[in-house]
């Protein structure tokens, strides 16, 4: 059971990284569907079935479909964000190190 939760959690992290890193907005929305599906699987294995079904119905059934139709109506093809990513990389690195330091301080005090 623990290994299944670890596998699903790692898939959730990988899909959430691909949501941010994908250059095609349609692919990003499809990865977001996988994120919500993996989240509902985690809830299902933790025996919170009602919230898992509500998660699927509300988020995937309504909100993601709305996002998908909106992106299709706007006809966004590609987002060229390679240069913009490298411009903000130092700032993101500083914020990531700060958050890692906070997490380490919290876990050390427990």
């Amino acid at each position: 059971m623990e290994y299944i939760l670890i596998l699903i959690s790692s898939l959730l992290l990988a899909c959430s990284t691909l949501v941010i890193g994908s250059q095609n907005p349609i692919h990003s929305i499809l990865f977001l569907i996988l994120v919500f599906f993996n989240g509902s699987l985690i809830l299902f294995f933790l025996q919170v079935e009602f919230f898992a079904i509500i998660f699927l119905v509300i988020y995937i059934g309504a909100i993601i479909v709305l996002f998908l139709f909106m992106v299709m109506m706007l006809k966004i093809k590609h987002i060229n964000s390679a240069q913009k990513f490298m411009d903000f990389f130092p700032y993101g690195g500083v914020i990531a190190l700060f958050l890692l330091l906070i997490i380490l301080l919290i876990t050390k005090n427990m």
Side-chain angles (χ1 to χ4, degrees), residues 9-62:
S9 299
S10 63
L11 282 173
L12 190 135
L13 286 173
C15 289
S16 62
T17 305
L18 289 171
V19 166
I20 297 169
S22 179
Q23 291 186 359
N24 191 347
I26 302 293
H27 292 159
S28 181
I29 291 174
L30 293 175
F31 285 127
L32 190 60
I33 290 172
L34 286 175
V35 166
F36 287 141
F37 184 72
N38 287 331
S40 66
L41 277 178
I42 289 174
L43 289 173
F44 182 74
F45 280 120
L46 293 175
Q47 298 177 350
V48 191
E49 291 90 4
F50 179 74
F51 287 122
I53 297 298
I54 292 297
F55 207 65
L56 284 175
V57 170
I58 300 279
Y59 285 110
I60 294 177

Side-chain angles (χ1 to χ4, degrees), residues 80-95:
N80 191 5
S81 62
Q83 183 60 32
K84 292 179 184 177
F85 176 75
M86 292 309 289
D87 290 342
F88 291 109
F89 188 73
Y91 303 117
V94 169
I95 292 172

